[in-house]
Amino acid sequence: MGLLSDPVRRRALARLVLRLNAPLCVLSYLAGIAWFLALAFPPLTQRTYMSENAMGSTMVEEQFAGGDRARVFARDFAVHRRKSGALPVAWLERTMRSVGLEVYTQSFSRKLPFPDETHERYMVSGINVYGILRAPRAASTESLVLTVPCGSDSTNSQAVGLLLALAAHFRGQIYWAKDIIFLVTEHDLLGTEAWLEAYHDVNVTGMQSSPLQGRAGAIQAAVALELNSDVVTSLDVAVEGLNGQLPNLDLLNLFQTFCQKGGLLCTLQGKLQPQDWASIDGPLQSVQTLLLMVLQQASGRPHGPHGLFLRYRVEALTLRGINSFRQYKYDLVAVGKALEGMFRKLNHLLERLHQSFFFYLLPALSRFVSIGLYMPAAGFLLLVLGLKALELWMQLHEAGVGPEEAGGISGSSPPLPLTQGVGLASLVAPLLISQAVGLALYVLPVLGQHVATQHFPVTEAEAVVLTLLAICAAGLALPHNTHRVANPQAPDRGWMALKLVALIYLALQLACTTLTNFSLGFLLAATMVPAAALVKPSGPRCPLGSWPAVCCSRGAPGSSACSAWHLLTFLVRLLGSRSEAPAASALGGEPWMDTWDMELARADLAQPQVHTPTLAISAHRGPELCLRR
Amino acid sequence: MELKKTFNVLYPPCPDYTGNSRSAEARTSKGWGGAGLEEAGQASREKKKKKKKKNRAALRHSPRPSRCRKLKPASMVDSCFVSQGLTALAAFLLFPFDSLAASQIEDQAEQFFRSGHTNNWAVLVCTSRFWFNYRHVANTLSVYRSVKRLGIPDSHIVLMLADDMACNPRNPKPATVFSHKNMELNVYGDDVEVDYRSYEVTVENFLRLLTGRIPSSTPRSKRLLSDDRSNILIYMTGHGGNGFLKFQDSEEITNIELADAFEQMWQKRRYNELLFIIDTCQGASMYERFYSPNIMALASSQVGEDSLSHQPDPAIGVHLMDRYTFYVLEFLEEINPASQMNMNDLFQVCPKSLCVSTPGHRTDLFQRDPKNVLITDFFGSVRKVEITTETISLQPDSRIMESSYKEDQMDEELMEPLKYAEQLPVAQIIHQKPKLKDWHPPGGFILGLWALIIMVFFKTYGIKHMKFIF
């Protein structure tokens, strides 16, 4: 209690913080990084366990035996699709009706923000087909969704075949207490988003779509299925959703238990479960998996169609059939049985999935790190900012006296009004300006692309990039009123006050980001904290001193950070020697090789919130910018 | 009910009544020996006295009329006799009397009066809802099936089920509740009369049912219309913990509440003997606090133990039964109305090797030796009745009657009052030792002290100064 009120002790503490500041900061930063890496190892990771009573065990009998039927459906679907060149809606409707579902269609259209050069589309329109299996003895108050996205590049015909065969099998069972919706969407995420918006009767992306004719109750859980290859040797599960949202851990546990029961090879981020923890391989593999997950989550992109369901608080995950050229292959019966088991257990649910974790990291499929254990890693990083701010605060208080007389009792009181005089008033302008620049970065490129294309010989995509660059450059050129901050009688005082405010602001923003999306927050903190802590005008006229500050403040706004994640992801993938997906197919099929503008198009279409962190970044990077002399 | 009223009219409960009934009882039981007793000799009678003392506990607290009994040997060999008593309440009793061994006759006579009940009731409670608690409903229904098979009618069974598993949409076999996997035994049966269902199964309703504090509008099927001659079976199952049983995910009943309810039942003369069975985690904690007489309690597990499930069925997708009740059901399936199995056999039903948990039982409140308590005393509604049209004449042996009467009178004096268990251990509960009395000087000392003071006062001032004082 007396630690801070007692002047002697307070001074001792202040001296300690001042003298040991640099080592403490380094120590704290290293502790944060070390803690994060330690998350992959057993004391911090726990085995996953099923929390939901209603889904307690895998004790259900899977009777699905429609493997041949699924293959026939898949072949027919592929034939019809090739014939029509788009989703064979009529055929799907007919087939779904023949297996006994209530069938409806929904048409949607949306103009992409930029023309999609790779797929040659600008105005996208498509039709979703979905069939509802009504629960025979229950009211239609709850439902489950099995969805298969059919993109323009991925045929996914095996998945459609399996979906139809499963629907036929499910139709024959009488134990359903929830309606089951079998949904085939066109144009990947676009179709899924259109259907979800129509189902929940909202419109957040400006999609034109016809209203749904038939609906079931509130969706409790959803599974998306992607089987691009005819040969499946393992199943990969994707959990990361929009803006790093994750489904309840119980859903993943359910999948994992059925994988074990059926003897399926299941992977997470393309990685198998580490087998031996004794040797170096196991922990190394789990570190890789953890890093991949963090990068995926930090990107804020949905890792599959399930990611869009999460926005509506529908627990969902995506299963991908992977062909990694192994000896042993699974037929559709094995995959179908796992799905049947999962749906039957989900059917037993009485409440929404809520018992298990919503915030977690996964170093392996059967291990998780809970939020209580991973938050300290980010906490240590943010502590660096706090320590720096504390140091600045003390220096500001005692700047009037020399460092050797800082202990003098009279020394602390006279500079105080001076500090306040320097602070606040003069700090408002730079802060406002940097906020405005952040806002401009967020809004202007998208707003101004059409104007740009009319007046300059550029495409929309190029326009966005160029606008971003222009705003960055303009931001540097703007007058920041820093000369007012630079007080003549106390030259250091100005930048100290500004940096103090900037550090606190940055720490707050990072803490908020970390709470909602740990991966993004942690990666931002890991990269920005050293720069923010170190940056300092070393001399009044030294341009080198201001350079890092500029670099750090303006060099990497959100979009390029986004592509940086992809690069990192790719690197980590290449490092992982035991990656399940062969590099070639990963490069071919995976979205990180898409052009950057398509990325942005998707981001803009399906996830308007994805820019929010970007805004946050640019906003809290703003104040740093003013350190430039 | 009518029978009961007659008893009350004839034998108003008064303190001296017990002795009378006791002696009448003894008289009849001795009398049955008839001529055979003469051969038996004094020695065997002495031996019997000890047994009788035990049995007395069951008899003494409740008035029992001596009834006119017609005893007829099964083998139709020897003579029986008609005891003196009230012919209005005639009960016809089968009494095998095939040999001349008097001890055997006495044994059987005692056997007959081991339990003082005239009617049986059962309260069967399942407190959990939700599909994954299928097993609790199956537990309760399996006990229901057994008691019904052994003769307790639906009118005497109060069945409380918190959820309807048979009609749950998740049930792949609608209108059934199975207790064995592969659909071997459907405990739902053809006629199940559920008295309290779904949200009616609450702690309040349960306690009101037990204690009889029920609104007058309550239908007869939802009442426990027992009297002081009723043997009641109370079976409960659900999710519980140390000292409580959860009702419906929203409320709990504690072991103290339950014990108090039983005490209230006892005071309101709502039971003769009570068998309490509970299948839940830490079940033994539920009967720890009982303190009313004539309660025997069984639980599926000790404090600190979980009760485990049994019979996983992939087709239905849930566990069908709990282990303890599963083995109890297997045991009960072997019981028939004439079965001589006793409570000790029930205690052995689920050893730890089968149950995984350790089943517990408590008999200290119960007045009879468990080995003399038939399973059918609680699970069945068994009346040993045979109608005879022949006239049987018996010569009562006046000498024996007289001597036994004297013995009985002596016994009466020795008889200790009905035993209660120690009630709530209040001191333990509030963690306080009884407060020690402060030391106080004896009264004489204080009186003497005052006398001394007054004496000194008068010595000093003299009596003449009195007027200055007052």
Side-chain angles (χ1 to χ4, degrees):
Chain A
M1 192 168 77
L3 198 62
L4 291 178
S5 52
D6 178 12
V8 181
R9 285 200 195 159
R10 184 179 169 176
R11 220 173 305 120
L13 192 73
R15 212 174 301 145
L16 195 73
V17 167
L18 283 179
R19 194 172 303 155
L20 291 182
N21 196 282
L24 276 179
C25 284
V26 171
L27 202 68
S28 178
Y29 185 79
L30 290 181
I33 301 290
W35 188 289
F36 173 75
L37 290 176
L39 289 180
F41 300 99
L44 290 179
T45 62
Q46 294 160 296
R47 289 208 152 273
T48 51
Y49 52 89
M50 188 73 84
S51 304
E52 176 63 56
N53 271 324
M55 305 197 301
S57 64
T58 55
M59 196 181 52
V60 287
E61 196 172 45
E62 295 95 339
Q63 295 164 325
F64 177 69
D68 294 330
R69 205 167 178 195
R71 267 186 293 282
V72 171
F73 279 137
R75 208 182 312 128
D76 286 0
F77 176 76
V79 168
H80 282 90
R81 190 186 164 95
R82 216 174 303 129
K83 217 184 286 172
S84 66
L87 197 69
V89 176
W91 180 84
L92 265 177
E93 271 188 283
R94 206 168 52 242
T95 316
M96 279 188 175
R97 206 161 277 139
S98 75
V99 300
L101 304 181
E102 272 182 51
V103 188
Y104 303 97
T105 56
Q106 181 215 11
S107 56
F108 63 92
S109 64
R110 171 74 162 96
K111 203 166 81 172
L112 295 183
F114 335 114
D116 181 3
E117 323 259 311
T118 49
H119 303 122
E120 293 172 354
R121 55 183 187 182
Y122 187 36
M123 183 72 188
V124 172
S125 62
I127 296 176
N128 294 328
V129 185
Y130 64 101
I132 302 176
L133 166 60
R134 297 284 178 198
R137 288 185 286 144
S140 295
T141 53
E142 292 176 340
S143 59
L144 303 171
V145 172
L146 177 62
T147 175
V148 170
C150 289
S152 45
D153 49 351
S154 61
T155 51
N156 224 357
S157 57
Q158 294 286 319
V160 174
L162 185 57
L163 174 131
L164 290 171
L166 272 178
H169 173 67
F170 285 0
R171 181 73 174 81
Q173 312 303 321
I174 60 162
Y175 46 66
W176 299 113
K178 301 178 191 331
D179 293 355
I180 301 178
I181 302 174
F182 296 91
L183 170 67
V184 180
T185 60
E186 210 175 355
H187 295 298
D188 289 334
L189 301 186
L190 285 177
T192 313
E193 179 63 25
W195 187 82
L196 275 171
E197 285 184 8
Y199 196 89
H200 294 97
D201 212 8
V202 290
N203 193 344
V204 286
T205 54
M207 188 98 62
Q208 285 98 43
S209 63
S210 60
L212 296 189
Q213 296 302 316
R215 47 173 69 240
I219 304 173
Q220 303 291 304
V223 177
L225 188 62
E226 290 183 3
L227 302 174
N228 284 319
S229 165
D230 286 0
V231 180
V232 175
T233 58
S234 63
L235 275 181
D236 189 50
V237 58
V239 287
E240 301 87 357
L242 198 61
N243 287 332
Q245 271 184 308
L246 295 170
N248 194 285
L249 191 56
D250 267 344
L251 192 63
L252 190 74
N253 293 342
L254 187 69
F255 169 71
Q256 197 233 333
T257 49
F258 275 99
C259 271
Q260 275 179 348
K261 188 185 181 191
L264 289 170
L265 208 57
C266 290
T267 59
L268 182 75
Q269 314 289 352
K271 299 272 175 212
L272 284 172
Q273 289 251 64
Q275 294 301 326
D276 52 335
W277 288 85
S279 73
I280 189 72
D281 285 349
L284 203 67
Q285 205 179 340
S286 69
V287 170
Q288 279 175 3
T289 316
L290 182 73
L291 277 176
L292 280 172
M293 168 161 186
V294 165
L295 291 174
Q296 269 304 343
Q297 203 190 359
S299 76
R301 278 189 323 122
H303 196 193
H306 74 279
L308 302 174
F309 283 87
L310 294 175
R311 182 198 283 171
Y312 301 92
R313 207 60 264 168
V314 175
E315 309 310 321
L317 45 78
T318 298
L319 305 183
R320 289 200 177 89
I322 303 275
N323 179 12
S324 51
F325 307 111
R326 285 173 182 266
Q327 287 295 318
Y328 190 78
K329 300 168 181 62
Y330 299 113
D331 57 351
L332 289 176
V333 176
V335 183
K337 277 189 171 177
L339 280 170
E340 185 196 354
M342 285 177 72
F343 270 81
R344 194 151 173 213
K345 274 291 167 191
L346 288 170
N347 179 50
H348 285 185
L349 274 185
L350 296 145
E351 307 160 283
R352 281 180 177 279
L353 285 168
H354 67 281
Q355 302 267 13
S356 198
F357 293 88
F358 283 105
F359 295 94
Y360 52 86
L361 292 176
L362 297 166
L365 195 55
S366 65
R367 288 178 178 272
F368 77 104
V369 187
S370 75
I371 184 167
L373 288 171
Y374 67 59
M375 279 312 272
F380 277 122
L381 294 191
L382 297 184
L383 184 65
V384 175
L385 298 181
L387 281 172
K388 273 286 163 203
L390 196 63
E391 185 196 25
L392 283 174
W393 177 252
M394 288 179 174
Q395 280 175 351
L396 274 177
H397 269 242
E398 296 167 1
V401 246
E404 60 280 348
E405 313 145 56
I409 300 166
S410 57
S412 57
S413 44
L416 206 62
L418 198 63
T419 314
Q420 283 166 344
V422 169
L424 305 179
S426 59
L427 290 184
V428 169
L431 280 179
L432 276 181
I433 289 170
S434 29
Q435 292 280 13
V437 172
L439 195 66
L441 269 177
Y442 179 57
V443 177
L444 281 185
V446 181
L447 282 183
Q449 53 166 318
H450 297 294
V451 184
T453 43
Q454 281 163 14
H455 296 287
F456 303 102
V458 288
T459 63
E460 281 93 341
E462 287 164 357
V464 170
V465 182
L466 291 176
T467 322
L468 281 174
L469 291 177
I471 294 171
C472 284
L476 293 182
L478 272 177
H480 289 110
N481 284 2
T482 38
H483 59 277
R484 278 222 218 128
V485 176
N487 203 317
Q489 62 260 54
D492 278 352
R493 183 146 306 206
W495 72 261
M496 275 177 160
L498 188 57
K499 185 174 174 179
L500 173 66
V501 173
L503 283 179
I504 292 173
Y505 195 48
L506 180 66
L508 280 177
Q509 294 274 9
L510 282 178
C512 294
T513 314
T514 311
L515 273 180
T516 52
N517 185 348
F518 169 79
S519 302
L520 181 65
F522 181 81
L523 288 185
L524 285 180
T527 47
M528 290 174 70
V529 161
L534 287 177
V535 78
K536 178 177 168 183
S538 51
R541 289 283 164 264
C542 178
L544 273 181
S546 62
W547 191 74
V550 175
C551 234
C552 130
S553 60
R554 280 301 161 80
S559 48
S560 57
C562 205
S563 46
W565 301 155
H566 294 165
L567 197 65
L568 269 173
T569 316
F570 182 60
L571 284 178
V572 175
R573 286 251 179 201
L574 283 184
L575 281 176
S577 50
R578 260 197 238 157
S579 178
E580 262 310 296
S585 77
L587 286 182
E590 290 295 325
W592 58 68
M593 286 304 287
D594 292 1
T595 48
W596 178 75
D597 44 11
M598 190 49 213
E599 275 310 314
L600 216 107
R602 280 191 187 177
D604 177 56
L605 260 185
Q607 53 222 23
Q609 294 108 311
V610 83
H611 284 306
T612 319
T614 319
L615 170 66
I617 303 162
S618 40
H620 58 61
R621 273 168 193 232
E624 282 291 315
L625 180 106
C626 315
L627 297 185
R628 194 176 58 94
R629 286 293 195 65
Chain B
M1 212 48 205
E2 207 162 298
L3 212 63
K4 171 76 173 18
K5 272 180 190 158
T6 326
F7 287 170
N8 289 342
V9 171
L10 291 171
Y11 298 96
C14 52
D16 64 339
Y17 173 71
T18 321
N20 294 342
S21 89
R22 174 72 205 116
S23 55
E25 214 48 67
R27 206 158 42 240
T28 49
S29 68
K30 290 293 174 193
W32 288 335
L37 272 180
E38 289 167 46
E39 282 94 40
Q42 200 64 27
S44 78
R45 263 214 307 283
E46 287 301 320
K47 214 163 62 186
K48 292 300 148 207
K49 260 185 70 180
K50 286 184 183 170
K51 268 195 178 175
K52 250 174 27 204
K53 272 192 179 172
K54 279 181 193 159
N55 292 344
R56 193 163 304 127
L59 302 174
R60 68 200 159 200
H61 70 275
S62 52
R64 174 195 303 279
S66 57
R67 276 160 269 180
C68 175
R69 298 170 178 88
K70 281 192 175 179
L71 302 174
K72 187 166 181 304
S75 50
M76 306 291 283
V77 185
D78 262 323
S79 64
C80 295
F81 76 105
V82 183
S83 76
Q84 296 167 344
L86 301 164
T87 44
L89 301 167
F92 301 97
L93 311 168
L94 169 66
F95 191 61
F97 187 54
D98 48 359
S99 77
L100 293 176
S103 61
Q104 203 176 346
I105 298 157
E106 285 212 335
D107 265 352
Q108 304 219 351
E110 285 183 6
Q111 189 96 350
F112 190 81
F113 285 111
R114 280 190 308 198
S115 175
H117 73 283
T118 59
N119 56 74
N120 280 83
W121 284 83
V123 180
L124 314 174
V125 190
C126 160
T127 63
S128 7
R129 40 189 318 117
F130 305 141
W131 172 244
F132 57 89
N133 290 324
Y134 184 96
R135 57 184 189 277
H136 294 155
V137 174
N139 286 346
T140 315
L141 283 172
S142 67
V143 178
Y144 174 80
R145 165 197 166 84
S146 301
V147 295
K148 208 165 158 183
R149 189 175 59 79
L150 290 172
I152 305 185
D154 262 330
S155 59
H156 280 211
I157 303 175
V158 183
L159 182 59
M160 306 175 94
L161 291 184
D163 205 346
D164 185 4
M165 291 309 163
C167 298
N168 193 302
R170 293 168 181 84
N171 193 343
K173 317 275 179 220
T176 57
V177 174
F178 289 103
S179 64
H180 288 51
K181 52 188 166 189
N182 306 324
M183 297 183 280
E184 277 162 13
L185 181 58
N186 175 15
V187 287
Y188 197 64
D190 296 327
D191 53 340
V192 174
E193 198 181 298
V194 186
D195 300 304
Y196 286 80
R197 60 171 69 193
S198 60
Y199 287 111
E200 290 171 354
V201 182
T202 59
V203 174
E204 182 184 340
N205 279 355
F206 177 62
L207 291 180
R208 282 185 181 281
L209 171 81
L210 290 186
T211 54
R213 299 174 185 276
I214 285 181
S216 54
S217 61
T218 312
R220 204 177 160 82
S221 64
K222 292 191 172 191
R223 290 165 182 262
L224 181 66
L225 296 168
S226 58
D227 54 32
D228 61 345
R229 292 317 198 80
S230 305
N231 271 15
I232 304 181
L233 165 71
I234 294 183
Y235 176 85
M236 304 184 82
T237 183
H239 288 285
N242 193 350
F244 68 89
L245 178 69
K246 217 167 72 163
F247 268 67
Q248 305 250 18
D249 259 11
S250 59
E251 52 180 355
E252 291 118 27
I253 187 170
T254 65
N255 48 4
I256 295 175
E257 284 165 343
L258 196 62
D260 288 344
F262 287 163
E263 172 61 15
Q264 217 175 107
M265 286 173 78
W266 171 251
Q267 289 183 3
K268 291 179 81 178
R269 303 172 74 104
R270 284 174 67 78
Y271 70 82
N272 171 45
E273 285 171 334
L274 199 148
L275 177 65
F276 176 78
I277 304 181
I278 187 161
D279 188 344
T280 179
C281 297
Q282 319 205 31
S285 65
M286 284 306 283
Y287 61 61
E288 270 175 356
R289 301 287 192 195
F290 291 173
Y291 55 92
S292 315
N294 281 353
I295 298 182
M296 191 187 294
L298 287 92
S300 60
S301 55
Q302 296 297 329
V303 178
E305 279 183 341
D306 285 346
S307 288
L308 299 169
S309 54
H310 202 269
Q311 300 286 317
D313 187 311
I316 299 176
V318 284
H319 285 273
L320 301 187
M321 277 280 255
D322 280 322
R323 279 175 179 271
Y324 180 72
T325 313
F326 178 78
Y327 290 107
V328 168
L329 174 66
E330 294 224 314
F331 172 77
L332 289 176
E333 287 292 293
E334 301 297 316
I335 303 279
N336 58 36
S339 170
Q340 292 299 303
M341 295 288 229
N342 59 45
M343 283 296 161
N344 275 343
D345 299 320
L346 184 61
F347 296 158
Q348 311 299 326
V349 119
C350 192
K352 191 166 181 178
S353 55
L354 295 176
C355 254
V356 184
S357 59
T358 323
H361 54 85
R362 183 176 171 189
T363 53
D364 59 330
L365 297 169
F366 206 70
Q367 311 289 332
R368 293 192 282 154
D369 188 344
K371 82 165 189 287
N372 291 330
V373 183
L374 295 183
I375 298 294
T376 47
D377 282 355
F378 289 101
F379 285 90
S381 176
V382 180
R383 287 174 185 83
K384 290 169 186 162
V385 170
E386 186 163 322
I387 300 169
T388 177
T389 51
E390 292 170 32
T391 314
I392 299 161
S393 59
L394 296 166
Q395 288 88 37
D397 187 328
S398 57
R399 191 169 51 83
I400 293 175
M401 301 275 277
E402 214 162 289
S403 67
S404 67
Y405 182 69
K406 277 178 196 162
E407 278 171 23
D408 287 335
Q409 284 197 323
M410 276 161 63
D411 286 347
E412 285 312 320
E413 289 154 21
L414 294 174
M415 200 171 70
E416 69 271 40
L418 196 60
K419 197 180 82 181
Y420 273 84
E422 195 187 347
Q423 292 201 5
L424 291 183
V426 177
Q428 256 183 41
I429 291 171
I430 60 178
H431 302 291
Q432 254 183 4
K433 285 179 186 171
K435 210 175 175 185
L436 285 174
K437 251 187 169 176
D438 290 336
W439 182 83
H440 200 266
F445 174 75
I446 295 178
L447 216 67
L449 201 67
W450 274 110
L452 193 72
I453 291 169
I454 293 169
M455 255 169 61
V456 169
F457 180 82
F458 286 127
K459 203 98 183 149
T460 318
Y461 299 103
I463 197 83
K464 56 185 179 192
H465 290 100
M466 192 64 90
K467 57 178 185 281
F468 299 112
I469 298 170
F470 297 107

